[in-house]
Amino acid sequence: MAESGTSSSPGQIGAARSVSVLLPLPLAGAYDYRVPPEIELEAGDFVIVPLGRRETVGVVWGAGSGEIDPKRLKDVAERLEAPRMPAAVRRFVDWVAGYSMAAPGAVLRMAMSVSAALEPPRVLTGYRFVSAVDLPARMTEARQRVVDVLKDGPPRLLSELAREAGCSTGVIKGLVDAGVVETVELPARMSPPVPDWQLPGPTLEPAQAQAVQTLRDSVTKGGFSTTLIDGVTGAGKTEVYFEAIAAALEAGHQVLVLLPEIALSAQWLGRFEQRFGAKPAQWHSDLGSAERRWTWRAVAEGEVRLVVGARSALFLPFSDLGLIVVDEEHESAFKQEDGVIYQARDMAVVRAHQGQFPVLLVSATPSLETVQNVATARYGAVHLPDRHGGASLPRISTIDLRRDPPARQSWISPPLRKALAETLAGGEQALLFLNRRGYAPLTLCRTCGHRLQCPHCTAWLVEHRFRARLQCHHCGYMAELPPACPACNAVDSFAACGPGVERLAEEVVALHPEARLAVMTSDTVFSVRAAEEMVRRIQAHEVDLLIGTQIVAKGHHFPMLTLVGVVDADLGLSGGDLRAAERTYQLLHQVAGRAGRAERPGQVLLQTFNPTDPVMQALVSDDRDNFLALEAKDRQRTGMPPFGRLAALILSGDSPEAVDRLAREVAVRAPHFEGVTVFGPVPAPLALLRGRHRRRFLMKCRRDLAPQPLIRDWLAPIKLTGSLRLQVDIDPYSFF
Ligand code: ADP
Ligand code: ZN
């Protein structure tokens, strides 16, 4: 569990005149400091301490270790006037560090990401809309955006407002001069609105009522439990867990809801506000700095009662957390892949266990890990078998691309064309799903076959025609399409291979020039606001035809959408990912769930070259459980998760020779242990990423063995020099 030297037990400090202080830096452990007589400290206090020649903020982790001569210790400089980091949060930091094999300070950094919240409150200047005045005669588009941003929100800081409205600060100052916007002193903290759990929810259907009863009981009773809320899309799972939230709020606890992509959850926020009469506090990377500061502080002080956030919200300093909900628990977005590598769903269960409260995992397509935990009764489950209000599930069928191929250089097969035409003629909406951004995934020279590749990654450059750019989806490298082939100098010789959403859009416009088309990808929807606007337009039926990547798959409810065409259902099935089939099933099921959510029945067409693949069969026959059983059997046979454990080592560096040398050294020391197999080293599928050469090891363990101590012993003698790095990924979800 916890690394030695960082364990924190509250209250053990007493009269000790030295403390161990954990710093938010990737160091091996906590450091001892002397406590000067004028300062009183307790575990969890935020302090300023000297480190080398500078000062830094850290957290008192416990009494000093006593390993260093007290006379040689440096003094704690100051205790900050900030709420103490609760013992539960400190324990969690230690646990995550131990499990993920990260430096405790690196985990601590996630728990104190807003250092400004620790500073003494300062007075800030906010800008707000003066509602009583007429708008000036000269309303430019930029001015209008400022007004729109301010109209339905709190006062903003100048820089934030300029960013949100996408204008210069001059535009805002102009509006101040015109009397339309005024400045206010912002209190360092604003009291957040409190969700009202007494507002009535909807009348529940019997299956919902039964599920709610179970969940309410577990919340009121308290204590740790994990429950899966299992039900098809549209079954009313959200309504059900809203009742559990109401119970937790009523009991006086704080609540955390984790969503896989908070920036795309506009509808969820709206529903929450409708149900509880107040906007929830949000936590994600798109927040302005002032909002971050308030939220962090208000969570610590217990003023914020509910936070909806991305995985990083797990590390907020909740003073009395009483319930965590992990919505779409199967989503791989819960796995953080860089820095501290952790699986937020699993860590949410740990957090709940440590804090002795319930956690709810919600999904229509639960992960095999969770299903297995339900099967062995480690987790409980409630089931919502039917769609709310009798809406029927969409009819799913395959289109065999071998029999019904699309015309050359087009991607929509005749049967899908026909269905599309009928849907549009009937005044309904259609979605074409293709999980590929840009125009084409590959551009090559027709003369010599040269492929345009990223100079820094083992990856093709993807053409983005809307922006007239080539782009690497791994490192962000951008370039213009070269005037001639870099290999053979042929001019006008580039050919796009395969479709991306932009190319699909071209085909659709040619087929249905009259249809109002929208393309929804992370390139066109890059902020919460843009997502809200897109969803609003679709719901208001200002769009007839939607083309989208996986970001349309999640959670949205579009009543007029009756046709979903999956352009390439096989896309996720190849490659060496042990969860490829499971993920493809989840994603396509989720996309299919967008069709026919209201009274109108929906239809889903999957274009595939493998109509007999178990994934396609499971989707068509709506037999999730059988599919999962097959998948489970396969993984059990091969000892793969959840029946065994995996850990990956990723070695990287600037020079391929140095990385290979390191790989050989690591290979030589690999553990030989009953129940443990080490594969590798092999060049990673992305053998070059952001200019770094990469090699991988994969370690497979029996379930009853913990990989961490083995890896710790294995790597202890390894010294990293120069640019070499060695990353450990426990329970890996990506294998590139
Ligand atoms: P899920 O989360 O399972 O996809 P939702 O909770 O979003 O399902 O419910 C689907 C739709 O049905 C939503 O529009 C929701 O408001 C509505 N709904 C669910 N349960 C009820 C109920 N008991 N009464 C009225 N509307 C409901
Ligand atoms: Zn790249």
Side-chain angles (χ1 to χ4, degrees):
M1 290 235 314
E3 293 272 347
S4 63
T6 63
S7 66
S8 51
S9 39
Q12 71 172 189
I13 294 185
R17 292 328 283 177
S18 82
V19 286
S20 82
V21 174
L22 189 61
L23 305 175
L25 299 166
L27 306 166
Y31 287 175
D32 280 6
Y33 287 90
R34 199 180 77 97
V35 185
E38 67 281 9
I39 299 184
E40 284 296 320
L41 289 179
E42 281 189 41
D45 276 330
F46 287 92
V47 288
I48 295 182
V49 293
L51 179 72
R53 277 193 215 157
R54 57 196 183 108
E55 294 200 315
T56 175
V57 179
V59 180
V60 176
W61 222 243
S65 66
E67 284 160 14
I68 296 174
D69 178 0
K71 286 192 257 2
R72 293 183 44 211
L73 291 179
K74 291 189 180 162
D75 277 5
V76 170
E78 190 185 335
R79 184 173 75 83
L80 293 174
E81 287 304 321
R84 270 186 200 117
M85 179 171 280
V89 178
R90 284 179 276 129
R91 218 166 46 228
F92 185 56
V93 167
D94 278 338
W95 202 94
V96 172
Y99 188 84
S100 66
M101 303 190 66
V107 182
L108 177 67
R109 184 157 57 192
M110 301 195 292
M112 46 185 287
S113 57
V114 220
S115 54
L118 301 168
E119 290 165 9
R122 14 171 206 149
V123 176
L124 302 167
T125 305
Y127 289 74
R128 74 173 171 208
F129 182 56
V130 184
S131 46
V133 298
D134 292 331
L135 293 179
R138 216 178 63 77
M139 277 305 283
T140 58
E141 260 179 43
R143 286 184 157 195
Q144 188 59 49
R145 284 199 302 272
V146 173
V147 171
D148 289 344
V149 168
L150 286 183
K151 246 183 185 156
D152 53 15
R156 306 290 212 286
L157 299 177
L158 187 63
S159 55
E160 267 165 31
L161 181 53
R163 189 173 58 86
E164 273 186 69
C167 68
S168 69
T169 54
V171 173
I172 300 166
K173 298 230 163 104
L175 283 169
V176 173
D177 293 339
V180 178
V181 171
E182 63 183 0
T183 58
V184 280
E185 274 195 0
L186 289 184
R189 281 177 268 148
M190 297 203 303
S191 282
V194 177
D196 182 355
W197 62 88
Q198 283 166 319
L199 289 176
T203 311
L204 298 172
E205 297 188 25
Q208 286 179 316
Q210 203 185 342
V212 165
Q213 191 59 47
T214 309
L215 300 180
R216 271 190 168 270
D217 284 351
S218 65
V219 171
T220 332
K221 205 166 78 234
F224 169 67
S225 60
T226 310
T227 310
L228 169 68
I229 306 182
D230 177 4
V232 295
T233 43
K237 299 185 293 299
T238 311
E239 297 296 342
V240 164
Y241 76 67
F242 275 180
E243 297 308 308
I245 290 175
L249 293 173
E250 187 177 353
H253 298 303
Q254 291 173 302
V255 176
L256 170 62
V257 180
L258 294 180
L259 301 181
E261 291 201 36
I262 181 76
L264 301 169
S265 310
Q267 270 188 331
W268 192 96
L269 298 175
R271 277 181 73 180
F272 183 88
E273 190 172 2
Q274 222 170 23
R275 174 67 180 77
F276 292 102
K279 277 207 170 74
Q282 297 180 49
W283 190 259
H284 52 81
S285 52
D286 207 25
L287 282 188
S289 61
E291 204 175 347
R292 276 182 104 68
R293 198 160 51 231
W294 288 325
T295 308
W296 194 92
R297 188 106 187 183
V299 167
E301 286 169 353
E303 270 192 72
V304 160
R305 302 296 307 282
L306 183 136
V307 176
V308 55
R311 54 187 185 231
S312 58
L314 258 184
F315 294 92
L316 282 170
F318 291 98
S319 53
D320 179 19
L321 194 53
L323 176 68
I324 303 180
V325 179
V326 185
D327 203 347
E328 311 288 6
E329 67 89 27
H330 60 277
E331 278 288 338
S332 46
F334 284 121
K335 183 77 195 290
Q336 170 145 314
E337 296 287 3
D338 45 30
V340 178
I341 301 179
Y342 66 96
Q343 162 53 281
R345 175 204 52 217
D346 297 346
M347 293 306 118
V349 174
V350 170
R351 180 76 175 82
H353 182 254
Q354 290 185 333
Q356 288 297 301
F357 56 78
V359 54
L360 308 179
L361 308 180
V362 186
S363 179
T365 52
S367 61
L368 194 56
E369 277 78 1
T370 296
V371 168
Q372 189 58 24
N373 278 323
V374 171
T376 54
R378 286 158 57 102
Y379 295 177
V382 296
H383 300 275
L384 299 173
D386 303 314
R387 281 196 154 184
H388 169 73
S392 53
L393 281 165
R395 237 170 336 106
I396 303 182
S397 41
T398 51
I399 295 174
D400 187 341
L401 288 175
R402 292 166 307 186
R403 225 182 44 210
D404 287 311
R408 237 180 77 73
Q409 294 299 309
S410 76
W411 322 102
I412 306 176
S413 65
L416 183 53
R417 276 189 189 211
K418 181 158 165 284
L420 199 56
E422 284 167 5
T423 304
L424 293 175
E428 294 174 354
Q429 286 172 315
L431 160 67
L432 291 180
F433 177 78
L434 177 61
N435 208 9
R436 255 197 199 137
R437 294 157 53 207
Y439 186 80
L442 166 65
T443 306
L444 58 71
C445 171
R446 262 189 303 249
T447 311
C448 74
H450 177 75
R451 299 163 173 217
L452 293 180
Q453 217 181 351
C454 176
H456 312 296
C457 305
T458 317
W460 297 331
L461 289 173
V462 176
E463 183 183 357
H464 283 247
R465 220 167 256 196
F466 290 173
R467 273 187 283 169
R469 279 290 163 84
L470 294 167
Q471 200 181 320
C472 170
H473 286 179
H474 296 284
C475 72
Y477 171 85
M478 291 217 252
E480 306 207 343
L481 199 64
C485 173
C488 73
N489 286 319
V491 181
D492 282 337
S493 178
F494 287 124
C497 295
V501 286
E502 293 178 4
R503 195 170 196 185
L504 189 62
E506 231 174 53
E507 181 176 352
V508 162
V509 168
L511 286 175
H512 295 283
E514 76 296 346
R516 293 164 301 174
L517 173 71
V519 177
M520 191 168 177
T521 73
S522 55
D523 299 301
T524 60
V525 174
F526 38 78
S527 69
V528 177
R529 189 163 286 272
E532 272 173 2
E533 174 56 15
M534 178 71 87
V535 168
R536 187 201 60 74
R537 279 176 53 211
I538 301 165
Q539 281 178 332
H541 207 165
E542 291 170 20
V543 169
D544 302 308
L545 217 163
L546 179 64
I547 292 178
T549 57
Q550 59 186 2
I551 70 168
V552 298
K554 289 163 198 163
H556 304 296
H557 181 49
F558 303 129
M560 290 300 289
L561 183 70
T562 55
L563 173 68
V564 170
V566 175
V567 174
D568 185 353
D570 308 328
L571 191 55
L573 281 177
S574 55
D577 184 335
L578 88 108
R579 295 182 183 83
E582 182 190 349
R583 275 191 186 155
T584 302
Y585 176 82
Q586 287 161 342
L587 181 60
L588 296 185
H589 184 277
Q590 206 92 35
V591 179
R594 297 314 113 210
R597 300 251 302 179
E599 303 73 38
R600 297 157 191 269
Q603 175 182 198
V604 180
L605 297 173
L606 309 173
Q607 297 197 138
T608 172
F609 285 99
N610 308 294
T612 56
D613 186 280
V615 171
M616 304 307 149
Q617 291 295 315
L619 287 163
V620 167
S621 57
D622 190 23
D623 196 351
R624 179 192 88 187
D625 293 341
N626 187 40
F627 168 70
L628 285 176
L630 284 177
E631 194 59 22
K633 223 158 115 192
D634 222 38
R635 299 230 204 132
Q636 189 152 28
R637 189 174 49 75
T638 50
M640 284 295 181
F643 302 95
R645 296 177 190 277
L646 289 182
L649 304 187
I650 302 118
L651 286 48
S652 67
D654 294 343
S655 127
E657 294 79 25
V659 181
D660 282 328
R661 253 194 320 275
L662 175 65
R664 278 195 297 275
E665 193 189 341
V666 171
V668 167
R669 297 173 187 277
H672 294 281
F673 207 84
E674 161 82 31
V676 177
T677 323
V678 174
F679 306 95
V682 291
L686 268 170
L688 184 67
L689 178 63
R690 293 187 194 89
R692 297 178 65 83
H693 298 268
R694 305 164 78 242
R695 308 286 180 267
R696 293 182 66 107
F697 287 86
L698 189 65
M699 175 166 163
K700 189 170 83 172
C701 285
R702 250 180 15 222
R703 216 194 130 71
D704 57 327
L705 298 173
Q708 291 89 345
L710 295 172
I711 295 177
R712 218 165 266 143
D713 287 350
W714 177 10
L715 300 182
I718 305 280
K719 295 265 177 300
L720 297 177
T721 52
S723 70
L724 290 173
R725 269 182 59 203
L726 209 170
Q727 253 185 325
V728 181
D729 182 356
I730 302 288
D731 306 332
Y733 278 69
S734 64
F735 298 87
F736 56 78

